[in-house]
Amino acid sequence: MWKFPGFLRPSGAAQFDIANAHTVELTRRHPVVSLSKQGAATGNLRINLSWSMRPSDGAWDQRHGSWLRRQLQLFKPEPVQAAGPAMVNVDLDLACLYELADGTKGVVQPLGDFLGDLDAPPYIQMSGDDRFGGSSGETLYINFDKREEFKRLLVFVYIYDGTPAFDRTHAKVEIFPTSGPRIEIPLTEREPQARSCAVVLIENVKGELTVRREVKYVYGFQAELDRLYGWGLQWGRGYKTSARP
């Protein structure tokens, strides 16, 4: 444990590992991380979705003018505008398709109030439904003390209502293991017509829990993701219990 400013520094490689231990970003080139190998396959895993709206490209160009000014603006946070012609209403939801070791399949999501249970099957629970994005976002908890009960989990995001607008949001999914670095998956691809996105696939293969980046956008909803990954559930139209304020 480092306690004093004058401690003996480790080697260069060790310094790099310590400095970068707080976050791992899953990318196309590096899409997989093992929770088991970093000792994080126990306790409650937390998965968070957060997002903010961004204006259309046209509004961006109108406000920022020249190419040089736009480049300089990349180093400044973009303020979120009030709703107007350049903005759209969007309600992103975090959800999880699950398949347990005994063959049980289902979904945990705000739609239909399928909020799950952390201490009983499926050992997954949704914290609530944030309809406006922001820093808190929506959160799923997965009880990895029951890791032997899981076969595979598909964490996905979908647009409940409003205009398909993944290209108009700054969205990211963050995974907080009980130990080791936070895992981050930005949803930055331009897919203006998509309504759903498979974000990560968590699998239990011979006792090892891995997280794999998917980031696959589809134009439909849960049923289309189901077909893409072969879950085999029956889907119908669902509604949230309370309307948007």
Side-chain angles (χ1 to χ4, degrees):
M1 179 181 296
W2 306 116
K3 294 184 177 179
F4 306 102
F7 60 78
L8 180 64
R9 293 185 180 274
S11 66
Q15 289 182 51
F16 179 86
D17 290 340
I18 292 171
N20 292 276
H22 61 288
T23 305
V24 168
E25 182 176 327
L26 296 186
T27 64
R28 291 180 181 177
R29 291 186 62 186
H30 303 286
V32 182
V33 64
S34 171
L35 296 176
S36 297
K37 289 180 179 178
Q38 67 183 40
T42 59
N44 293 334
L45 182 82
R46 178 163 59 96
I47 303 178
N48 181 257
L49 163 70
S50 59
W51 78 94
S52 60
M53 296 304 300
R54 63 186 175 194
S56 66
D57 291 340
W60 174 280
D61 291 340
Q62 195 172 31
R63 287 199 315 279
H64 296 286
S66 69
W67 178 88
L68 178 60
R69 289 187 63 191
R70 293 199 301 274
Q71 300 309 303
L72 293 175
Q73 286 295 328
L74 294 177
F75 297 97
K76 299 179 181 180
E78 181 64 23
V80 178
Q81 289 188 328
M87 303 298 294
V88 295
N89 292 324
V90 63
D91 178 9
L92 295 184
D93 279 350
L94 180 66
C96 180
L97 280 165
Y98 61 84
E99 181 178 358
L100 303 184
D102 65 2
T104 302
K105 298 178 182 179
V107 67
V108 173
Q109 62 181 20
L111 191 61
D113 283 339
F114 292 107
L115 301 182
D117 192 313
L118 202 58
D119 299 314
Y123 307 108
I124 306 163
Q125 189 165 17
M126 169 71 66
S127 69
D129 178 16
D130 179 359
R131 304 194 182 185
F132 302 100
S135 58
S136 59
E138 297 186 358
T139 304
L140 275 168
Y141 294 93
I142 302 173
N143 183 357
F144 275 156
D145 288 336
K146 298 291 186 177
R147 59 191 176 277
E148 70 279 357
E149 303 290 339
F150 297 117
K151 181 177 180 180
R152 58 175 180 158
L153 309 172
L154 180 68
V155 178
F156 65 97
V157 174
Y158 64 94
I159 297 174
Y160 169 63
D161 60 5
T163 306
F166 274 109
D167 64 326
R168 302 284 293 278
T169 61
H170 293 290
K172 65 178 176 180
V173 170
E174 294 174 286
I175 300 175
F176 298 86
T178 53
S179 65
R182 179 177 78 246
I183 302 166
E184 186 172 298
I185 308 96
L187 305 182
T188 55
E189 284 81 352
R190 293 283 179 141
E191 295 287 347
Q193 299 304 314
R195 287 189 173 273
S196 305
C197 177
V199 181
V200 294
L201 186 65
I202 302 173
E203 293 183 289
N204 185 349
V205 180
K206 296 181 179 179
E208 181 180 2
L209 286 169
T210 59
V211 178
R212 176 181 294 276
R213 177 189 185 273
E214 297 292 312
V215 190
K216 294 180 180 178
Y217 292 86
V218 300
Y219 297 118
F221 293 99
Q222 291 90 330
E224 189 167 343
L225 284 172
D226 184 310
R227 286 192 294 271
L228 183 63
Y229 286 89
W231 234 266
L233 300 178
Q234 297 296 317
W235 298 91
R237 180 62 176 167
Y239 301 91
K240 294 187 178 180
T241 55
S242 59
R244 181 188 295 274

